[in-house]
Amino acid sequence: SSSSSFVGDDSGALSINDSIAVIALPAFFALAADPIASLVDSAWIGRIDAEALTASGLAIAVLNIIVKLFNSPLLSVTTSVIAKASVSPKRDLSRAASIAVELGILGGLAQTLILFVGAPVLIHLMGVDSQADPGLYHTAVSFLRIRSLGTLANVLLLTTQGIFRGIGDTKSPLYATLAGNVLNVGLAPLLIFGLDWGADGAAWATVGCEYLSAAYLLWIVYGKIPGFKVGGSILEKSQERFAGTAKQLLSTSGVLAFRSLCIVTTYAIASGLSLEAGEELSAAHQVCHQLWLGSTLLADALAVAAQTLLAQSITREDKDAVKEIVSKTMFLGLLLGTVTAALLAGTSGVIPGLFSDDASVIEGIQFLLPAVLLTQPVTALAFVLDGVLYGGSDFNFAAKCMCASAAVACTTMALGVNFWAADDFEVL
C-alpha cells in the first residue's frame, strides 16, 4: 500500500484503502436511494395500469434528456474543481463552491421553463401521438410538467453533492438523500391511491422531497465551508476570478454536456423504439432499464472515490498514489460487476412480479433480464474508468469515447428494429 494519506471528513489522515471505503460506501447508499425510490414508484404506478407506467417512464426519459445535459456535467466538474481546491492553498474553496451553486440555480430555472412549456412537444418527439393515443400522451405530459417544477431542487442537489464529494464527505449527501427518499416512498402511495391522483401523485411526492433534501444540503454547505455565499460570485469584477473557477466549470461542463447528450439520446431512442413492441413490452423495457441503472451503483460509487482521490493526488503530484488508486478501483469495479450479475441471476425468478401484475409486462421483463445480467461486469468497469478519467481531468477523451459508443448503439437499434426484428420481443 502507498504511504500516501488523505483527509477524511472527520479531519483524520486515512490510507488509500480506507479513503476508498470512506468515500465509496456512503456514496453507494446515496446513489442507491434514488433508483430504489424510482423502482418503488414504478411498482406503485404499475399497480394503476400499464399506460401509467409507460407514460411515467417516457416522461422521466425526457426529463433525463434535458436535465442531464446540464446537471451531470456540472456534478462531475464540480467534484474535480472542489477536490483540487480542498488540497491546494492557491485555490479559493468557498468561491469555487459559491460559483458552482449559482450556476446550478441559473441552470435549474432555465430547465424548469423549458420542460414545463415544452412538455407537449417533447412527449410528441418521443413518438407519442396526441390523436392516436390521447390517454398515454396526456398522462405523460402531466407527469413531466409536475416533475419539471422540481428541476431547480434537483440541480441544487447534484451541485451540492459535487461539493461534498470534492471535499471527501459523502455522508452528508447520504443523510439528505435517504431522508428525502424515505419520505417519498411513504408519500407516493398516499397521493397515488389515497387522494386518487394517479401517476401525478408520484410526481408531486418526488418534487416535494427534492426541495426538502436540497434545502438541507445547502444549509450544511453554509456551515461547513467558511465564506460560502450565494449571490454575485459569478459576476465578480475580477476577470481573473471568473476566468479561474467559473470559466473552468462552464467550458468543461460544455464538453461533458456533449457526452451527456450522447447518453440521453441513446436512452431516449431506445425508449421510443421500444414502443414499437406495444405499451406492455415498452413498460417492461422501462423497468429493466431502471434495474440496469440501479445494479451499477456500487461501481458508480467507486468512480466517485476514484475521481476525488485522483484529483487530490494529481494536485499533490503523488504518482504512486495515482497508480494505486487506479489499479484498486478498476479491480473492485470488475469484481463488483461479476458479483452483481450473480445476485441478479439468483433473484431473476422473483424480480418480474415485483413490478407488475400484467402477464405481458412480466414476460417482457423475463425476456430482457439476461441482457441486464450479462452486461454487468463490463458496465461496472466502464463506470469506474469514467471516474478515473474525470479525476485526471481528461474530460475530452471521455466525451469522445461516449460519442463513438452512442453512434454504434443507435445505429444497431435503428437497424435492428426496422429491418431485423421479426416480432415484438425481437424489437426489445
Side-chain angles (χ1 to χ4, degrees):
S1 174
S2 171
S3 60
S4 301
S5 62
F6 295 82
V7 178
D9 55 350
D10 295 321
S11 298
L14 301 174
S15 67
I16 289 178
N17 287 338
D18 291 340
S19 295
I20 291 174
V22 165
I23 295 174
L25 289 178
F28 163 70
F29 289 111
L31 288 166
D34 281 335
I36 289 173
S38 295
L39 288 172
V40 172
D41 276 354
S42 294
W44 287 124
I45 295 172
R47 302 298 172 184
I48 302 173
D49 53 41
E51 179 183 86
L53 183 60
T54 302
S56 64
L58 289 169
I60 290 171
V62 173
L63 192 69
N64 288 338
I65 292 172
I66 301 298
V67 171
K68 286 190 176 181
L69 288 178
F70 183 85
N71 298 3
S72 294
L74 184 59
L75 168 64
S76 299
V77 180
T78 299
T79 300
S80 292
V81 169
I82 297 297
K84 292 176 180 178
S86 67
V87 297
S88 173
K90 298 180 181 180
R91 299 171 187 257
D92 191 335
L93 177 59
S94 63
R95 186 169 302 281
S98 299
I99 290 174
V101 170
E102 289 172 12
L103 287 174
I105 292 172
L106 293 175
L109 291 173
Q111 289 167 31
T112 298
L113 180 62
I114 292 171
L115 287 166
F116 191 88
V117 174
V121 175
L122 293 169
I123 293 298
H124 180 75
L125 291 175
M126 289 294 292
V128 183
D129 193 316
S130 60
Q131 301 298 321
D133 200 340
L136 178 63
Y137 174 81
H138 290 298
T139 302
V141 169
S142 178
F143 192 94
L144 178 58
R145 279 183 161 163
I146 295 170
R147 286 292 302 270
S148 73
L149 300 177
T151 304
L152 173 59
N154 185 262
V155 177
L156 288 175
L157 270 173
L158 290 175
T159 304
T160 50
Q161 283 184 33
I163 293 171
F164 284 113
R165 288 179 183 183
I167 61 177
D169 174 12
T170 52
K171 290 182 181 179
S172 295
L174 168 62
Y175 300 148
T177 304
L178 281 179
N181 282 291
V182 168
L183 180 60
N184 184 25
V185 168
L187 187 59
L190 176 63
L191 299 182
I192 293 171
F193 303 109
L195 297 183
D196 198 27
W197 288 4
D200 287 353
W204 280 117
T206 300
V207 169
C209 295
E210 283 177 339
Y211 274 102
L212 287 175
S213 298
Y216 169 76
L217 280 181
L218 273 176
W219 179 66
I220 296 296
V221 171
Y222 269 105
K224 197 147 193 171
I225 301 180
F228 173 81
K229 64 176 182 178
V230 176
S233 296
I234 296 177
L235 303 177
E236 284 286 343
K237 294 181 180 179
S238 170
Q239 293 300 313
E240 182 181 351
R241 284 176 175 173
F242 177 85
T245 302
K247 186 175 181 180
Q248 182 181 2
L249 284 167
L250 288 172
S251 61
T252 308
S253 292
V255 173
L256 290 185
F258 174 71
R259 178 184 180 279
S260 293
L261 177 63
C262 294
I263 296 173
V264 297
T265 299
T266 303
Y267 290 168
I269 290 174
S271 295
L273 289 175
S274 71
L275 285 171
E276 298 291 330
E279 286 186 10
E280 289 79 10
L281 292 185
S282 179
H285 178 271
Q286 301 296 336
V287 170
C288 286
H289 183 215
Q290 291 194 41
L291 278 172
W292 176 80
L293 287 175
S295 63
T296 61
L297 292 175
L298 265 175
D300 205 7
L302 279 174
V304 172
Q307 180 181 2
T308 300
L309 297 177
L310 276 173
Q312 293 178 350
S313 298
I314 291 171
T315 303
R316 293 190 182 109
E317 299 182 353
D318 189 339
K319 295 181 181 179
D320 291 337
V322 169
K323 293 178 182 178
E324 186 174 353
I325 292 165
V326 172
S327 61
K328 286 184 175 179
T329 53
M330 286 181 63
F331 170 76
L332 288 172
L334 190 58
L335 177 63
L336 287 170
T338 304
V339 172
T340 302
L343 291 174
L344 287 173
T347 57
S348 59
V350 178
I351 290 174
L354 296 176
F355 297 99
S356 180
D357 295 325
D358 189 296
S360 296
V361 175
I362 291 175
E363 189 177 4
I365 295 173
Q366 291 172 334
F367 179 79
L368 287 173
L369 268 179
V372 177
L373 301 179
L374 293 174
T375 55
Q376 287 305 304
V378 66
T379 300
L381 189 58
F383 270 74
V384 173
L385 285 172
D386 274 344
V388 170
L389 291 172
Y390 291 175
S393 297
D394 199 350
F395 300 106
N396 288 333
F397 183 73
K400 291 175 182 177
C401 288
M402 187 55 66
C403 178
S405 299
V408 173
C410 292
T411 301
T412 302
M413 286 189 292
L415 292 175
V417 170
N418 291 292
F419 297 102
W420 302 331
D423 56 37
D424 289 342
F425 284 96
E426 288 190 9
V427 167
L428 293 183

